[in-house]
Structure formats: C-alpha cells, structure tokens
Amino acid sequence: MYSLLIDHLSTAVVQVNRELGIEYLNPAAEMLLAVSRRRIYGQDIGAAFRENEESIASLYAAIESGHPFTKRDAEVERANGKKLFCDYTVTPITGTMNTTDSLLIEFYPRDRMKRISQEDELIANHQSSKELVRGLAHEIKNPLGGIRGAAQLISRAFTDEALKDYTQVIIEESDRLRDLVDRLLGPRQLPQKAPLNIHRVLERIKQLILVEADGQIELIRDYDPSIPDIIGDESQLIQAMLNVTRNAMQVLLEQEENQHKEIKIVTRALRQFTIGAKRHRLVCKVSIIDNGPGIPEHIMKTLFYPMVSGRADGTGLGLSISQSVVHQHNGIIECNSHPQRTEFNVLIPIETASQDKEENP
C-alpha cells in the first residue's frame, strides 16, 4: 500500500541503504532523473545522480546521526550528464534496532516550479489576448458588413464600368479584412474529438513538409511507439502542428545555402506531469526542433500573440491559432530558443474518452 501511494506522488522519491545503494525510485524520480529503476536497483547512488563529495559526506552523516536535513539550490548531475537545479530533503528511516537503515531523498526541482509559473502566465496572457481579439473582431466585422453592403448598392446604381471597378475594389478589400479577422479568431468549430494516434498526425505533417521543402531540409523522426492514443480532433491537430513545423521550415530555407538544415520531431510520454495548475497522470510530448538561428529575444514573451512574427513576410497568426487549438485539447505549446536550436514542445494530456467527456460535457 505504501509503495502504491508513493508511486502516485508527483514528488520524486529515492530510497538508499546505509551504503548509499539504491533500493527504490518512484515513477516521478525515474522521469526527473531520466533513469529506469529496474536497471539501477542495487547500484550505487551515482547511477541515478551525482553531486560533490561534501554532499555525499552529508548523506553518510545523516545515516550516523539520524537527523534529517534539506539542501537548497543544489546542482545535481543526472546519469545522462544533464544538470538539474533543485532542492532536496533527506529523511533517515529508523529500523528495529533503533539505527538508521536507509535514507529517503525527496527532490523538488526549481526549474519545474518556474516552468509551471511561466505556463500559468502564458495561459492567462493567451486568454486575455483571445478575449481582446474577439471584442475587436466584433467591432470590425459590423462596419465591414455595412461598407460591403453599401458598395454593392452603389455598384448597381452605376452604369459606368470604370466606376463599378472602384466599388468592386471596396467589396474585395472588405472580404479580405473579414477573412483576416476570421483567421484571428482561429477555428470556428469545436474540436470533433475521437481516439487517434499522434504519430499518424506527425506522418501527415512529415509528408507535407518534405514536399514543400523540396529536399532542402533533412527531417528526422524519433518516435516513442509506446505512446497510447490521445483524444483529439485529427484535422485541427494536423493544422496546429503543421503551423509550428512550417515556421521552422521557412526560417531554415531563408538561411545560407551551404548550411545543413535539419528539423527533428520527437515524441515522448511524460508521467505525473503538470500543465498549468493541473497534474496529469500521462502527457504526450511532441518536440519540434530546428537548427536555425533562433527566435529574437524581444518577441519571445509575445510569440503566441496574434500578429506577432519574427519574419518580414509572416502574418503572425500561425502560432496563435496553434496555441488556441492545443488549449482546446487541454494542452499547451512551450518554446525554448537559442542559436542553432529552437524547440517547440506541444504537450497534450493522454486522457480516456470518459475523462474527456467529464471535463468537456
């Protein structure tokens, strides 16, 4: 029972014995430390994470004294070589002989809390911008309808074809503005959700991008075939992820001809993962990574706002629409960018059909 409860915690928990051999990890610790518990059971603590000698000495001291302690702002090196900035608490577990048999180490990643805070801000900002656009669209479309109707009436009254051409320009430009406003509002229909394989969506995107890139870009796939079906609207998700991938393609095509251009699509399943304020048992993560010049820092915070673009000929609508679609699937799109690596992460909860019906009646 205790093991089952700890397995469902979102906090990463590691148990080690008196010799600092690994006795137990919960799934949250597996995900955080990027290790498999089956492979490292019984191994030294260094198989899961490494720190300086002073910290190891503190663990041995906790075993001898039986006193718990907490370390703040620790920099831990995971088995894959990547750094993890976190706080961790060490709690000695006393056995039958009133001696410390093992240590329980709980990790609290600081970067995760920062990410959750950023997601909350991103969701709130996107919702505010969407409400603003809706109000603005209403104020624009009403006069446009009047202008278009008046131009049609005037056109009927003219006998001179040259004057009719002018009214036709008014009608066509009114239609163009109306279409632009409709695009700002995003998809008109609610998602028609059904179980679907995310890799079928990505294979469709791969076909479209390879045709458009005409052999100038290498597209690499790194799929996790164990990801279960998600509940979503296939056509809307294709459009959302195509917008992100096409942006990467267009940026790469604008670069020097002799540069190797590469887009990588990676899928992974994340356990006990938080999106915004809600924790999900299982989340599908689709990463779209390119080796382009990166996104200018001054537009990173407004990247998903309508009409914001880093390209001279960009409309600034693609990412905004993609974020709206993913929000309708209870997910979010995040972005990290620096020169030679821009990564968009599309995070969508993997829910059952019954769960989705409860959340979206």
Side-chain angles (χ1 to χ4, degrees), residues 6-8 24-32 37 271-272:
I6 295 175
D7 277 350
H8 284 78
Y24 172 79
L25 295 89
N26 69 348
E30 287 184 281
M31 186 178 72
L32 182 67
R37 55 181 171 183
R271 295 180 179 276
Q272 304 300 339

Side-chain angles (χ1 to χ4, degrees), residues 120-271:
D120 284 339
E121 182 180 0
L122 180 61
I123 292 170
N125 288 343
H126 187 74
Q127 189 63 33
S128 298
S129 67
K130 191 161 67 173
E131 293 299 325
L132 177 63
V133 167
R134 282 178 179 169
L136 184 61
H138 178 74
E139 295 300 324
I140 291 175
K141 290 182 78 171
N142 283 345
L144 273 181
I147 292 170
R148 190 182 192 283
Q152 287 177 317
L153 291 174
I154 293 172
S155 179
R156 292 173 190 168
F158 287 148
T159 56
D160 188 337
E161 290 300 322
L163 294 176
K164 285 187 176 182
D165 288 342
Y166 292 130
T167 56
Q168 187 61 32
V169 169
I170 296 173
I171 292 170
E172 290 174 357
E173 289 301 296
S174 297
D175 289 342
R176 188 176 67 84
L177 286 173
R178 181 200 61 205
D179 292 341
L180 176 61
V181 170
D182 287 340
R183 290 176 64 196
L184 278 169
L185 292 172
R188 297 183 183 181
Q189 296 181 342
L190 291 174
Q192 303 299 309
K193 294 184 179 181
L196 66 95
N197 188 315
I198 192 65
H199 297 123
R200 188 171 68 184
V201 170
L202 297 174
E203 284 299 291
R204 176 61 176 159
I205 291 168
K206 181 207 74 172
Q207 294 172 353
L208 294 171
I209 291 298
L210 289 179
V211 170
E212 293 182 30
D214 194 24
Q216 299 180 65
I217 293 176
E218 181 184 6
L219 199 150
I220 302 170
R221 294 167 295 165
D222 181 3
Y223 294 166
D224 179 358
S226 68
I227 296 177
D229 287 355
I230 65 172
I231 305 297
D233 185 311
E234 183 172 351
S235 63
Q236 288 194 12
L237 287 175
I238 288 175
Q239 187 59 55
M241 296 192 197
L242 181 61
N243 288 345
V244 176
T245 313
R246 184 175 281 147
N247 273 6
M249 177 198 71
Q250 291 170 342
V251 168
L252 288 174
L253 292 179
E254 292 172 358
Q255 302 308 300
E256 300 175 4
E257 291 297 326
N258 58 355
Q259 178 189 350
H260 175 67
K261 303 173 176 65
E262 175 184 294
I263 296 176
K264 189 173 184 179
I265 302 178
V266 183
T267 62
R268 293 291 183 268
L270 306 178
R271 295 180 179 276

Side-chain angles (χ1 to χ4, degrees), residues 280-348:
H280 300 274
R281 188 173 61 180
L282 201 60
V283 168
C284 173
K285 176 183 178 183
V286 179
S287 299
I288 299 168
I289 307 164
D290 69 74
N291 64 340
I295 298 171
E297 188 176 348
H298 68 277
I299 68 170
M300 277 297 293
K301 288 190 176 181
T302 57
L303 189 61
F304 296 100
Y305 285 12
M307 311 304 289
V308 174
S309 175
R311 294 171 42 245
D313 58 345
T315 63
L317 296 178
L319 290 180
S320 175
I321 292 172
S322 295
Q323 189 71 276
S324 294
V325 168
V326 175
H327 278 180
Q328 289 181 326
H329 289 77
N330 303 316
I332 195 170
I333 304 178
E334 300 175 336
C335 177
N336 298 300
S337 180
H338 53 79
Q340 303 305 311
R341 183 181 176 89
T342 296
E343 180 175 346
F344 281 87
N345 293 317
V346 182
L347 302 165
I348 300 176

Side-chain angles (χ1 to χ4, degrees), residues 88-106:
Y88 64 80
T89 298
V90 177
T91 306
I93 299 176
T94 304
T96 55
M97 303 298 293
N98 207 28
T99 58
T100 300
D101 288 344
S102 59
L103 297 177
L104 204 63
I105 308 173
E106 302 168 70

